[in-house]
Amino acid sequence: KMSDDSLQRSNRHHAFFSKTAIFRLLSRVIMIMLISFRVSNASTVSLNSRFSSTINRRGLRRKVVGDNMDRRRTFHHSLFMYFCTPIRETTILFRRCKPKVSLPIQNRIPFHSPPTLLRFHSQNEDDGSPVINELLLQQIPPKITVQHALQKSLKILEEKSIPEPEESVLHLLSHALNLSWENGYRQLREILSLSVRSSTISENAMSPIQQLSNQCLSKDERDAYISLLERRMQHEPLQYIIGKWDFHFLTGLKIKKPMLCPRPETEELVELVLAEVGNLLRDWKEKRKMRILDVGCGTGAIGIAIANKYPAAVQVVALDVLPEAVDLSNDNAEQFLSRYSAHGDSKLGVKSIYEAMLCSATHFTNNTTNTSRDLSKKKCKMNFDIVVSNPPYIPLKDMIDLSSDVVEYESYEALCGGVDGLNVIRDIVHRLPEWTFSSSLRAKHCWMEVDESHPRHLARWLSPGSVEARRCGVEYVESYTDFCGRDRFVKLRVS
């Protein structure tokens, strides 16, 4: 038994260390709250950015989780571990452990600056050769079935906080297995839903879905799938990995880096333009086709979608400053519009319906100062009835808020619209009267996708009857919201 003096010394010992641990715990809580607040404010993805809304794949709409969100999640995990250590120490002391029991100092996690996001690298730092990640090799062994490959890879992407893990594994495995673009995604989704209800699908089942589920990946298919997963784990957009995507009624539109990946809100812009084209065609009395100008075509998605709807009634001319975008747009036009070439000039083929040219909005003019490659030796008919554009419109200050899967892969020139995001939009406004000069329509309109801060600026600048509106020859009509309720589209009228 302990003497009274020893017991008092022991109690004083417990009281001293209990107060010390509690003080250390409270100090860490305060420090965590302050630092977490600053990091959260610094890394929150801005809702004003054009890519913080949703991605749409075959009718599915989901929130985008950017790289900044992953960084916050990783940092907060470290804060949680740092927070738990003094709690554990305090718990030990409150249990009145023996005085000889030392605190678990070796288990403490020291405070560090916010850790960088751990990623899987697809290139060797020494020779640049492809590196197959050991984790993927272990989790996706040879002779693995389609069902188990889906389950394993989905778990890996979820643990690594990769955005849209389920959609990623479905698209990537469908691509690795060379399944049809129209049906492969749906078949794998059905397999994944079946695997949730049952860990193993009976091998005696004879349906095509169940046979595909029990099919083993070949060596080439497994290697291809692991390679695709590595790229996705570096946050490379699915559209670039697969090389195609759906847009409007265009199934399998070709996508290449660095052109912007088509977004669902741009499909809404197409619907607005198609509604006006339909209204105009009901009273169309001209012998010529309706001419539409697409400024900043990128993949050609907007102009081709419009021409695909009215191939016999419209002719689309598209502009872009990137040679890769012009080539890709013409390739996509050949893919989707070649079957309609009989509706146009047989000598021109698809070009009678759609043609993309290398030129900026500033240089698309018949003035002698024009120096663009495609227009330097010929004049273009400036009788466009409708102008449509999805120009670079992100303000410079918002570029830092974009996630790495956007800024590291997609074209900076196609994203940033200058300090206020209106650089290219101003060029379009100033050229509109020339572009539509020879049109026989009384009301010639321009439709644009813009940043949600732009409609009020354009409304002030081009207010009907104002000095600036009369000088430019363009008036602001109205704005339209996207499916997220943001002011995303504007309609201008050439006066």
Side-chain angles (χ1 to χ4, degrees), residues 100 132 259 369 422:
K100 293 183 180 182
I132 301 298
M259 275 64 74
T369 56
L422 291 169

Side-chain angles (χ1 to χ4, degrees), residues 140-155:
I140 306 177
K143 304 297 183 181
I144 190 172
T145 64
V146 170
Q147 178 191 2
H148 290 153
L150 284 173
Q151 295 172 337
K152 295 285 187 179
S153 54
L154 177 59
K155 183 179 179 181

Side-chain angles (χ1 to χ4, degrees), residues 171-190:
H171 287 301
L172 297 181
L173 186 55
S174 176
H175 188 65
L177 296 175
N178 290 320
L179 300 178
S180 69
W181 178 253
E182 293 78 9
N183 300 320
Y185 174 88
R186 297 187 181 93
Q187 291 173 340
L188 293 182
R189 176 171 286 281
E190 186 173 347

Side-chain angles (χ1 to χ4, degrees), residues 91-338:
T91 303
I92 293 175
L93 289 172
F94 277 133
R95 287 178 179 175
R96 286 192 170 273
C97 61
K98 295 181 180 180
K100 293 183 180 182
V101 176
S102 60
L103 299 178
I105 299 177
Q106 69 278 8
N107 294 331
R108 297 178 187 174
I109 299 179
F111 177 78
H112 299 286
S113 59
T116 57
L117 182 64
L118 299 178
R119 290 185 178 179
F120 292 82
H121 302 284
S122 61
Q123 297 293 325
N124 192 311
E125 294 180 358
D126 297 328
D127 55 8
S129 60
V131 176
I132 301 298
N133 187 269
E134 294 183 359
L135 173 64
L136 296 176
L137 288 173
Q138 295 173 359
Q139 296 295 325
I140 306 177
K143 304 297 183 181
I144 190 172
T145 64
V146 170
Q147 178 191 2
H148 290 153
L150 284 173
Q151 295 172 337
K152 295 285 187 179
S153 54
L154 177 59
K155 183 179 179 181
I156 292 174
L157 296 190
E158 287 177 341
E159 290 177 349
K160 300 301 177 182
S161 301
I162 302 300
E164 301 184 296
E166 183 174 319
E167 303 305 313
S168 297
V169 298
L170 293 174
H171 287 301
L172 297 181
L173 186 55
S174 176
H175 188 65
L177 296 175
N178 290 320
L179 300 178
S180 69
W181 178 253
E182 293 78 9
N183 300 320
Y185 174 88
R186 297 187 181 93
Q187 291 173 340
L188 293 182
R189 176 171 286 281
E190 186 173 347
I191 290 174
L192 191 60
S193 63
L194 288 173
S195 64
V196 172
R197 298 192 297 267
S198 175
S199 59
T200 304
I201 299 177
S202 173
E203 296 183 359
N204 298 326
M206 298 302 293
S207 72
I209 296 296
Q210 292 165 329
Q211 290 178 3
L212 177 62
S213 174
N214 295 324
Q215 174 184 320
C216 292
L217 273 65
S218 66
K219 182 181 183 302
D220 292 340
E221 291 171 343
R222 173 176 173 263
D223 292 344
Y225 186 46
I226 290 177
S227 177
L228 296 175
L229 283 174
E230 281 191 299
R231 294 173 63 184
R232 184 58 183 143
M233 293 172 78
Q234 295 182 76
H235 290 241
E236 182 175 353
L238 273 174
Q239 293 91 332
Y240 291 151
I241 300 176
I242 299 172
K244 55 185 175 181
W245 206 249
D246 291 346
F247 180 84
H248 204 249
F249 290 102
L250 307 177
T251 302
L253 184 77
K254 295 177 185 176
I255 310 294
K256 291 182 181 178
K257 181 183 177 181
M259 275 64 74
L260 297 188
C261 303
R263 264 79 178 182
E265 50 264 50
T266 307
E267 294 187 34
E268 296 184 86
L269 176 63
V270 171
E271 288 294 336
L272 291 171
V273 176
L274 287 176
E276 178 167 351
V277 171
N279 292 333
L280 292 174
L281 288 177
R282 280 197 289 268
D283 299 326
W284 190 256
K285 298 179 181 179
E286 300 290 328
K287 294 181 180 180
R288 63 175 176 85
K289 286 186 173 183
M290 181 182 297
R291 302 195 74 224
I292 300 173
L293 178 63
D294 178 12
V295 183
C297 57
T299 61
I302 295 176
I304 296 173
I306 296 172
N308 187 60
K309 177 68 174 180
Y310 298 107
V314 303
Q315 181 184 22
V316 178
V317 176
L319 309 177
D320 206 289
V321 296
L322 294 178
E324 305 95 323
V326 173
D327 295 338
L328 180 60
S329 295
N330 286 325
D331 288 345
N332 279 325
E334 191 70 32
Q335 175 185 349
F336 292 100
L337 303 178
S338 58

Side-chain angles (χ1 to χ4, degrees), residues 459-479:
R460 288 196 300 266
W461 176 34
L462 302 173
S463 176
S466 65
V467 175
E468 284 295 318
R470 289 196 299 268
R471 185 178 66 84
C472 297
V474 180
E475 296 179 347
Y476 174 85
V477 179
E478 59 182 324
S479 66

